Amino acid sequence: MIKVEKLKKSFGANEVLKDINVTIQQQEVVVVIGPSGSGKSTFLRCLNLLETITAGHVSIEGVDITDKQTDINKIRAEVGMVFQQFNLFPHKTVLENIMLSPLKVKKITEDKARETALSLLKKVGLEDKANAYPDSLSGGQKQRVAIARALAMEPKIMLFDEPTSALDPEMVGEVLEVMKQLAKEGMTMVVVTHEMGFAREVGDRVLFMDGGYIVEENVPQELFDNPQHERTQAFLSKVL
Amino acid sequence: MDFRFDLIVDYAPLFLKGTLYTIGISLVGILLGTILGLLIGLGKMMQNKLLAFPFNLYIAFFRGTPFFVQIFIIHFGVIPAILGTTNGLAAGILALSLNSAAYIAEIFRAGIQSIDRGQMEAARSLGMNHIQAMRYVILPQAFKRMIPPLGNEFIVLLKESSLTALIAVPELMYWGRAFQGQYYKVWEPYLTAALIYFILTLTLSYLLSRLEKRLATE
Ligand SMILES: Nc1ncnc2c1ncn2[C@@H]1O[C@H](COP(=O)(O)OP(=O)(O)OP(=O)(O)O)[C@@H](O)[C@H]1O
Ligand SMILES: [Mg+2]
């Protein structure tokens, strides 16, 4: 469970997150939508402390991650993140990308790491790419490897920041498919996306962010078909 | 013009000795300079401006003053202060190391900062600490990009090592000057020295371009 209370985040004088309050239950799939610059990425990045939090509290599984005593690396290992730009390690093969962190951080054996990595590759449909370098993969394949890499740490929560925005349209489906599968298996997920179809089908709840606030939240059906807030209506009329 | 090849042949053993010294001090200089440069580069990248300041100052000083002046300061000031007596060879190597360290620190910093910041974020998001992320993700990529500028620095250093002749390091240019003093000849010693330097730098750039190609296809 993720609990966010009165979260604020500023970059210098620019207050990007103004007052974010939200609780995300175990196994819930929360989709975050909103206009560019509304703070969606920043919100996500605060959940694994890629950004330092200016004020407020975030707790994950009851552990306050804003507490200075908390071991950030341990929290991060439990919260997987998938980036728009994949961020695969180009100097390592697909298999090495996936094995690196389990080996160095979890310090499991090479055999165990390889076994896990191969089964994850199978899960994302890329077992034949184990020894390829990221540069030789298509965007959709890269993103599936990135998902497998995050999963290799056996996270309790997965964060996705526009995972399909950098992809050619014909590759979006294969990545969403993997994410749907994950959701079905009960992974807790927070997904920033412009894929409204995905939000509707997989999301348990949709948060609409604007200007550093969560302006409106609801189950997908309600939020898309019957938006209450003017700004939500304006945004949806542009993207739907 | 009467060009005395026979004198060059007579002097060949000394030119050879000088060439070996040139190669030797250049290698030691680039090696120590690289180690020192890495540390200074890391120091310069520290978040805390106050802690980074001495490293910035170091780089600014060695890049902002003539190498010739640095050699004299080290030879007549630093080395006597440490050893109690002057020592040309030690001063020459120290000067080359300290000077190249400043340039290498910048090469190192530029190499690291050229790596997309998404790489660090991905590594951290996987639970690696800063040191692990540096070691397994950032540095291996940065190092590849540092090789061409490091190679250039090595070539520059090899040429600049000729200035240590002025503090009696018995390298190539030192013997060139000795030749001139002994026979009152100008073209023979200096054209020979120039040719040897040229062969050394050409060889070096050839080796470097081969290394770059090999790394590029890896
Ligand atoms: N590292 C940073 N330094 C300074 N300002 C930043 C930084 N990161 C984000 N911002 C600013 O914070 C605001 C919100 O950015 P954020 O990336 O969270 O928006 P977003 O909702 O994800 O937008 P998009 O849909 O374009 O990805 C923007 O105005 C951006 O310029
Ligand atoms: Mg964003």
Side-chain angles (χ1 to χ4, degrees), chain A residues 136-147:
Chain A
S136 67
L137 303 181
S138 73
Q141 292 171 332
K142 281 184 193 162
Q143 197 60 297
R144 285 186 280 155
V145 172
I147 293 172

Side-chain angles (χ1 to χ4, degrees), chain B residues 4-211:
Chain B
R4 297 280 303 275
F5 279 106
D6 58 317
L7 291 183
I8 297 176
V9 173
D10 277 353
Y11 233 77
L14 293 174
F15 277 131
L16 178 67
K17 185 179 158 207
T19 304
L20 292 178
Y21 260 94
T22 290
I23 295 173
I25 60 175
S26 301
L27 276 175
V28 176
I30 195 82
L31 213 79
L32 293 179
T34 302
I35 296 166
L36 205 58
L38 296 184
L39 297 176
I40 293 167
L42 278 177
K44 181 175 170 153
M45 281 186 291
M46 281 192 293
Q47 300 279 332
N48 187 325
K49 292 266 182 298
L50 215 64
L51 291 179
F53 177 74
F55 299 99
N56 276 310
L57 190 69
Y58 178 97
I59 293 168
F61 175 80
F62 278 97
R63 300 209 315 168
T65 56
F67 183 47
F68 193 31
V69 177
Q70 295 164 18
I71 291 178
F72 275 28
I73 291 175
I74 289 166
H75 183 57
F76 295 114
V78 177
I79 289 291
I82 300 171
L83 299 181
T85 167
T86 57
N87 180 322
L89 187 58
I93 288 175
L94 188 64
L96 285 169
S97 308
L98 294 184
N99 178 272
S100 64
Y103 289 90
I104 291 170
E106 284 293 280
I107 291 170
F108 185 64
R109 186 188 56 82
I112 286 180
Q113 289 181 347
S114 76
I115 304 299
D116 185 80
R117 77 175 236 228
Q119 293 288 307
M120 178 56 96
E121 292 184 347
R124 299 307 299 271
S125 80
L126 288 164
M128 285 183 232
N129 62 34
H130 188 82
I131 294 171
Q132 290 171 324
M134 272 298 201
R135 173 158 166 214
Y136 301 117
V137 177
I138 307 296
L139 288 181
Q141 297 182 62
F143 190 67
K144 233 175 176 177
R145 294 192 192 174
M146 282 164 55
I147 286 178
L150 262 182
N152 282 336
E153 175 56 27
F154 193 12
I155 289 172
V156 169
L157 183 142
L158 189 121
K159 291 188 293 182
E160 295 215 314
S161 72
S162 63
L163 280 171
T164 62
L166 297 163
I167 53 169
V169 178
E171 47 71 78
L172 185 50
M173 195 57 193
Y174 173 87
W175 293 112
R177 280 160 53 89
F179 188 125
Q180 185 197 2
Q182 188 172 343
Y183 299 109
Y184 301 103
K185 288 281 183 189
V186 176
W187 294 100
E188 287 84 350
Y190 295 134
L191 283 180
T192 306
L195 182 69
I196 295 174
Y197 277 116
F198 191 50
I199 291 170
L200 289 179
T201 55
L202 271 186
T203 311
L204 198 52
S205 43
Y206 169 74
L207 290 175
L208 283 166
S209 73
R210 282 207 26 188
L211 180 64

Side-chain angles (χ1 to χ4, degrees), chain A residues 100-157:
Chain A
L100 182 62
S101 229
L103 281 177
K104 303 301 178 190
V105 178
K106 285 190 147 182
K107 307 207 188 304
I108 63 173
T109 66
E110 179 108 18
D111 286 343
K112 184 80 180 54
R114 183 182 309 276
E115 193 185 313
T116 311
L118 285 170
S119 78
L120 284 168
L121 274 179
K122 195 161 174 196
K123 180 177 175 140
V124 300
L126 289 170
E127 62 267 54
D128 56 325
K129 296 289 184 191
N131 295 313
Y133 279 90
D135 282 345
S136 67
L137 303 181
S138 73
Q141 292 171 332
K142 281 184 193 162
Q143 197 60 297
R144 285 186 280 155
V145 172
I147 293 172
R149 182 177 69 175
L151 290 175
M153 290 302 285
E154 298 173 318
K156 298 187 181 127
I157 297 159

Side-chain angles (χ1 to χ4, degrees), chain A residues 40-42 84 161-162 192:
Chain A
K40 306 181 297 293
S41 297
T42 307
Q84 182 175 350
D161 191 359
E162 304 201 29
V192 175

Side-chain angles (χ1 to χ4, degrees), chain A residues 222-238:
Chain A
E222 275 299 305
L223 191 117
F224 288 130
D225 298 341
N226 190 16
Q228 298 299 309
H229 205 286
E230 209 176 298
R231 282 193 277 176
T232 320
Q233 292 162 4
F235 175 75
L236 288 175
S237 72
K238 265 182 263 165

